[in-house]
Amino acid sequence: EVQLVESGGGLVQAGGSLRLSCAASRFTFDNYAIGWFRQAPGKGREGVSCISSSDSSTYYTDSVKGRFTISSDSAKNTVYLQMNSLKPEDTAVYYCAVNLRSCYDLLATMHDYWGQGTQVTVSS
């Protein structure tokens, strides 16, 4: 079965940057959407960003638009989330997830596969 492993989280000061990576194994699907979610303590999952394999379209939630960038490296079967100008409110566990249909379904938290998450902590 597909496995997703996130890495790159850590502790960073406000205004700093991190790049998260999501490595996919045994992933051979033609059509899919893959993206990043986050969950802060006591809160539900929030869709952060998504990229679709069908047309390479991307989505960003308003709170991160202009600061975060999603990208992929097909040779490495890896998806990245470059996070710049980090704010304390970005603190959360970040995880990647896959929906085999669309970003629309993925962002509705319809996950076919998901990773274990990586902690991002932004200090003030």
Side-chain angles (χ1 to χ4, degrees):
E1 189 172 287
V2 169
Q3 183 178 21
L4 304 175
V5 179
E6 303 96 329
S7 62
L11 175 63
V12 66
Q13 292 183 325
S17 298
L18 287 172
R19 187 176 73 163
L20 305 183
S21 299
C22 175
S25 63
R26 295 181 291 180
F27 193 91
T28 59
F29 303 101
D30 291 331
N31 298 308
Y32 58 90
I34 186 166
W36 292 91
F37 288 73
R38 64 186 180 186
Q39 186 166 16
K43 298 183 178 180
R45 289 169 294 173
E46 177 188 19
V48 177
S49 185
C50 182
I51 185 167
S52 173
S53 69
S54 62
D55 58 4
S56 297
S57 61
T58 58
Y59 166 85
Y60 301 93
T61 191
D62 287 344
S63 64
V64 308
K65 190 173 183 179
R67 299 188 297 121
F68 292 9
T69 303
I70 190 169
S71 62
S72 64
D73 184 339
S74 59
K76 297 182 178 180
N77 284 336
T78 301
V79 172
Y80 304 96
L81 185 68
Q82 178 67 46
M83 306 187 295
N84 298 326
S85 301
L86 283 163
K87 304 175 181 179
E89 48 264 47
D90 295 318
T91 295
V93 175
Y94 285 70
Y95 65 95
C96 63
V98 167
N99 179 273
L100 295 178
R101 186 171 181 270
S102 68
C103 277
Y104 179 89
D105 287 344
L106 182 67
L107 294 170
T109 66
M110 298 180 185
H111 301 340
D112 290 308
Y113 306 99
W114 57 90
Q116 83 287 357
T118 184
Q119 176 70 49
V120 172
T121 303
V122 184
S123 64
S124 59

